[in-house]
Amino acid sequence: MLRFGILGCGSIGGFLGRLLARPDGPLSGRARLAAVAGRDPVRAGKLAAELGCAALTVDELLARPDIDAVAVCTPSGTHADLGVAALRAGKHVLVEKPLDVTPEAADRLIAAARRSGRTLGVVSQHRFDPAARVAKTAIEDGALGRITSVLIEVPLWRAPSYYASGRWRGTRGLDGGGALMNQAVHAVDLAQWLAGPVVEAAAHTGLLAHDGLEVEDVATASLRFAGGALGALLATTAAYPGRTTRVAVNGERGSVVIDDDELAYFHAARDGEPTGAYGAYGDGNQAADHCPPPSEPPVRDRVGLLRQPHRDQLADFCDAVRTGRPPLVDGAAGRRAVAAVHAVYTAARTGRTVRLDDSGNPLQDTERNP
């Protein structure tokens, strides 16, 4: 049984707390909640009363010997500092996305985990969606052939009241970026998990529908992946009324589309099947064969998040601690997502194409092609 403490009592801290306080399914006998801590003691006390656990300060929580692991659910720019402190206190650490807001901060956290010998994981729950698992298996098995292109579309709306709800939102230091770093980093991680690392980016960003933010509300990018596939990215919080997030991966033998966490389209040419001079124009959707729709609507938390993907990621993290293997989303994976986002920001700021190696380290900038 892994005993968790949660740092941060906002919406995601409360969501993970409810999963841990009432474990079921994959979490049964694996994890339970021991305590929560936050900057606002009143808010922490209310959450602790709801979840039936202790409300502590951060220092008190990290000093508790009956807490084995810490979930860091605080503003993004505080993740590395709090994660390092938890690792030094001998805790395993699971960090809400992103790992932090810069690759350098991510490196500090990864190095601290290596020194401590403790497990470090990053919440990227969409890798645990059934649709994502089907897509990953198909790509690894070669069912789509060579991957040729990737589309990442995150067309959301966030009203000014959203940014006003927390003083850290929309700030460069604590949010790290806008629509891309905060909202679209999940889709960037999923795309890299499916198609391989981003190794090149050219981009534009803008602040077009919100006043007073330090970060963008629209980002577009042209991407190149390590295997040669080309990609297009749109991330925005200025697309009223907001639409669903979509990741599409296309290959020479098939294509897959994940829309709103569901397998919206899947088609792979079967062995010996000719692809045809003009393809099938989207006909022959095989999605239901690979990922049948559920008989009942999936269970969501009060904040609208699906419970199953987070619950399965928590179970994976617990198993990783128990067995000593890396979790599915480890520190290196979390860093690659941050590095890809930073490559887009750097490309937009400088007007140059930014190149990365497979680990997300910068190689050199080259002039953008006219």
Side-chain angles (χ1 to χ4, degrees), residues 256-267:
V256 60
V257 178
I258 298 172
D259 193 330
D260 198 23
D261 309 331
E262 297 181 356
L263 192 65
Y265 182 82
F266 183 103
H267 186 96

Side-chain angles (χ1 to χ4, degrees), residues 187-240:
V188 171
D189 172 75
L190 182 59
Q192 291 194 114
W193 188 54
L194 295 175
V198 169
V199 295
E200 197 171 291
H204 296 280
T205 60
L207 182 61
L208 303 179
H210 299 85
D211 296 322
L213 302 185
E214 299 175 2
V215 297
E216 87 288 348
D217 60 9
V218 182
T220 62
S222 175
L223 307 173
R224 187 185 300 274
F225 291 79
L230 303 182
L233 163 71
L234 166 68
T236 180
T237 54
Y240 186 81

Side-chain angles (χ1 to χ4, degrees), residues 104-272:
E104 293 76 18
D107 287 339
R108 288 196 293 112
L109 189 47
I110 292 168
R114 188 180 302 115
R115 288 192 300 268
S116 70
R118 296 298 189 264
T119 299
L120 172 63
V122 186
V123 176
S124 292
Q125 77 277 5
H126 293 301
R127 294 193 187 194
F128 294 84
D129 293 333
R133 296 295 189 131
V134 168
K136 178 68 170 177
T137 299
I139 292 167
E140 287 186 337
D141 290 347
L144 306 189
R146 182 179 181 182
I147 302 306
T148 56
S149 62
V150 180
L151 301 176
I152 306 167
E153 186 183 13
V154 187
L156 307 178
W157 170 255
R158 293 293 184 270
S161 57
Y162 164 82
Y163 291 100
S165 67
R167 288 181 295 176
W168 66 280
R169 295 190 186 279
T171 65
R172 196 166 303 282
L174 291 179
D175 218 351
L180 181 54
M181 179 65 84
N182 191 315
Q183 278 77 28
V185 68
H186 273 308
V188 171
D189 172 75
L190 182 59
Q192 291 194 114
W193 188 54
L194 295 175
V198 169
V199 295
E200 197 171 291
H204 296 280
T205 60
L207 182 61
L208 303 179
H210 299 85
D211 296 322
L213 302 185
E214 299 175 2
V215 297
E216 87 288 348
D217 60 9
V218 182
T220 62
S222 175
L223 307 173
R224 187 185 300 274
F225 291 79
L230 303 182
L233 163 71
L234 166 68
T236 180
T237 54
Y240 186 81
R243 291 183 288 112
T244 54
T245 293
R246 173 179 286 227
V247 175
V249 180
N250 306 307
E252 61 180 345
R253 297 286 295 174
S255 299
V256 60
V257 178
I258 298 172
D259 193 330
D260 198 23
D261 309 331
E262 297 181 356
L263 192 65
Y265 182 82
F266 183 103
H267 186 96
R270 296 176 173 85
D271 290 343

Side-chain angles (χ1 to χ4, degrees), residues 5-7 35-37 56-64 67 70:
I6 292 178
L7 303 183
V36 298
L56 306 171
T57 66
V58 171
D59 289 342
E60 289 170 341
L61 189 150
L62 296 183
R64 283 272 292 261
I67 291 178
V70 169

